[in-house]
Amino acid sequence: MKQLHTASNIAIRVLERRLKPLGVNSSQYFFILKLHDDPGVTQDQLTRADSRHQSNVNREISRLVDMGLVVKHQAAEDGRRYELTLTKAGEELYPKVKAALDAQERALSECLSAADGRMAQGDFLSVLHRISQLDS
């Protein structure tokens, strides 16, 4: 279990390094992707789509608004709800965030190739070890 925890932490740390030059972090990239794919989604819908608590979603959306990447519009049919869209800057950031995530996925997939299509316990531990080496 320790190796899984270590591998997870390192994978997140590597992702943070990929995202840092873009000015976003691993808590924010999901919202850039989701708002690109589903413009006009509400904060409530985002909370249901993600596993984070609503206060965390609200905080990250507020940060993205402050960064000029997201704009909130009061919903026409319900003034209590806000629809979210990416700004021009947010849309311009999207392909860069996507490229960083694609690079992360490729790196993690290379670690999985250590198992050669098998997934016995030893192979899984080998994968976790290779992921943990990404931070080296």
Side-chain angles (χ1 to χ4, degrees):
M1 189 55 110
K2 179 183 176 202
Q3 286 182 310
L4 179 59
H5 177 74
T6 300
S8 172
N9 285 341
I10 289 172
I12 291 169
R13 193 170 34 225
V14 170
L15 179 59
E16 289 285 356
R17 279 199 311 255
R18 292 181 195 282
L19 294 171
K20 186 174 184 174
L22 306 177
V24 294
N25 61 40
S26 63
S27 297
Q28 297 165 332
Y29 80 87
F30 166 82
F31 302 112
I32 301 291
L33 299 177
K34 185 67 175 165
L35 294 177
H36 175 270
D37 294 344
D38 193 7
V41 67
T42 65
Q43 282 188 230
D44 186 50
Q45 290 168 323
L46 278 178
T47 300
R48 287 193 303 264
D50 192 26
S51 60
R52 289 176 246 200
H53 189 272
Q54 181 153 359
S55 64
N56 295 333
V57 171
N58 293 343
R59 181 176 50 250
E60 293 304 335
I61 291 299
S62 292
R63 287 181 183 156
L64 292 169
V65 168
D66 292 344
M67 294 165 66
L69 300 173
V70 172
V71 64
K72 295 167 77 169
H73 302 281
Q74 200 166 25
E77 68 280 352
D78 183 352
R80 297 169 296 170
R81 293 184 7 196
Y82 286 88
E83 297 170 343
L84 307 168
T85 56
L86 292 177
T87 63
K88 184 174 189 264
E91 286 292 346
E92 290 170 355
L93 183 63
Y94 169 81
K96 297 172 187 173
V97 169
K98 184 79 170 80
L101 293 173
D102 289 346
Q104 180 80 353
E105 188 173 323
R106 281 191 304 277
L108 294 175
S109 292
E110 288 172 15
C111 294
L112 288 173
S113 70
D116 288 330
R118 302 175 322 274
M119 199 43 73
Q121 181 179 4
D123 294 324
F124 184 65
L125 292 175
S126 174
V127 168
L128 295 177
H129 176 73
R130 290 209 42 200
I131 290 171
S132 71
Q133 297 304 304
L134 289 174
D135 197 35
S136 305

